[in-house]
Amino acid sequence: MSNPIPTEPPSDTPVTDRAGILLVDDMEENLLALEAVLASLNVPLVRARSGEEAIRALRRERFALVLLDVRMPGMDGFDTAAGIKRLDQAKDVPIIFLTGSDPDSGFTFRGYATGAADFIPKPFDPWVLRAKATVFLELHRKNRQLEALLARDHVQLAEMAHRLSAIGSMLGEPGDGGAGADDGDGEGVGDANTLGGPGELAALRGHVAGLENILRELRRGRSPQP
C-alpha cells in the first residue's frame, strides 16, 4: 500500500500570512505537474518560465521555497541560483533543484556550491516532492514566528527602558538634586510628599505595575494585553 501524502502545514497560520512557492521551469507541462502536486498545500504557487523571470519575482515578493529546473535555455538553473543568492531579500530562500536524471558528483557539487538545499530527480515522486515542500514551508513558518517574537521583545524592552527612566526621574537620580537627594536634615526620602503628592505616587505605581506586566508576558511568551 502506498504511503499517505503528507498533510498541509498547520492550519493555525492564516493562508494570507504564508509565503508561497516559486516554480521555475521553461516547460508548461512541468509547471502544470508541479501545480497539480502542490495545490493542496494551500499556499500561493507562482510560475516563472526563465531564470530572469524568477529573479524578478523574488524581487517583488517573499517566498518560502524555490523549485528550480536545472536545464533551461539561456540562464540555466545554476546561474539562476547564483543570481538568487545575490539578492539580499532572497539569499536565504531554500532552493530545490529539479534534475532530468540522477546527478553525478560533479553536478551535485556545482549545485550545492550555488546554493541548493536539495535535489529531486525527474520524473519526481509526488509524495517526496510534497513531503520536502511541507518541511520547508514549516521551517519558514517557524522563522516568521521567531521574527515576530524578537520584534515583540524589542518593543517590550523599549517600554521597560521608558518606564525605568520615568521611575528614575520621579525618584531623583543620585547627585541630580531631585526628589531622591538628602536635604541635609538627616532624613531620607520615601514618603508620598517626596514625589510631589498622591498624583505622582499613583503614576509611579502605574509604571511599576506596567513593568510587572511586561515581565509576566515575557515569561509567558505572549504579547501584553491592552
Side-chain angles (χ1 to χ4, degrees):
M1 184 173 64
S2 60
N3 292 326
I5 292 180
T7 57
E8 63 184 82
S11 58
D12 58 351
T13 303
V15 172
T16 53
D17 290 342
R18 297 177 187 171
I21 302 174
L22 181 60
L23 313 176
V24 189
D25 200 303
D26 63 303
M27 302 294 291
E28 176 70 14
E29 57 269 29
N30 292 339
L31 292 171
L32 288 172
L34 290 171
E35 289 172 338
V37 171
L38 301 173
S40 59
L41 290 180
N42 204 22
V43 298
L45 303 175
V46 178
R47 289 182 171 204
R49 296 289 297 268
S50 67
E52 292 85 355
E53 190 176 340
I55 289 175
R56 287 196 296 270
L58 286 157
R59 288 195 177 110
R60 289 194 307 266
E61 57 189 292
R62 189 171 188 171
F63 291 95
L65 175 65
V66 176
L67 296 178
L68 178 59
D69 183 34
V70 172
R71 301 188 186 279
M72 296 187 295
M75 192 174 185
D76 66 13
F78 297 123
D79 294 333
T80 302
I84 291 171
K85 294 305 176 181
R86 287 194 291 267
L87 297 175
D88 288 340
Q89 66 269 45
K91 62 185 179 182
D92 295 324
V93 178
I95 298 171
I96 295 180
F97 276 129
L98 303 176
T99 66
S101 59
D102 291 333
D104 58 31
S105 59
F107 190 96
T108 304
F109 176 80
R110 186 181 177 192
Y112 286 124
T114 53
D118 204 349
F119 288 85
I120 295 180
K122 297 179 183 179
F124 54 80
D125 182 324
W127 190 91
V128 171
L129 177 61
R130 282 201 56 188
K132 291 188 177 185
T134 299
V135 169
F136 284 109
L137 289 169
E138 178 66 10
L139 178 61
H140 179 82
R141 189 178 71 89
K142 294 295 186 184
N143 286 337
R144 288 293 298 273
Q145 288 179 342
L146 179 58
E147 290 172 3
L149 287 172
L150 292 174
R152 184 212 65 191
D153 289 349
H154 177 77
V155 171
Q156 290 178 323
L157 290 172
E159 175 65 14
M160 289 180 67
H162 170 74
R163 290 184 181 275
L164 287 170
S165 177
I167 291 171
S169 297
M170 296 176 74
L171 293 177
E173 297 294 343
D176 68 0
D182 191 331
D183 60 8
D185 61 4
E187 297 182 358
V189 298
D191 56 39
N193 292 330
T194 65
L195 294 169
E200 289 193 13
L201 180 59
L204 175 62
R205 287 173 175 164
H207 284 305
V208 172
L211 287 172
E212 292 173 346
N213 180 59
I214 292 171
L215 288 171
R216 280 196 302 271
E217 298 301 338
L218 284 171
R219 292 191 190 102
R220 293 175 187 168
R222 296 167 48 192
S223 300
Q225 299 298 315

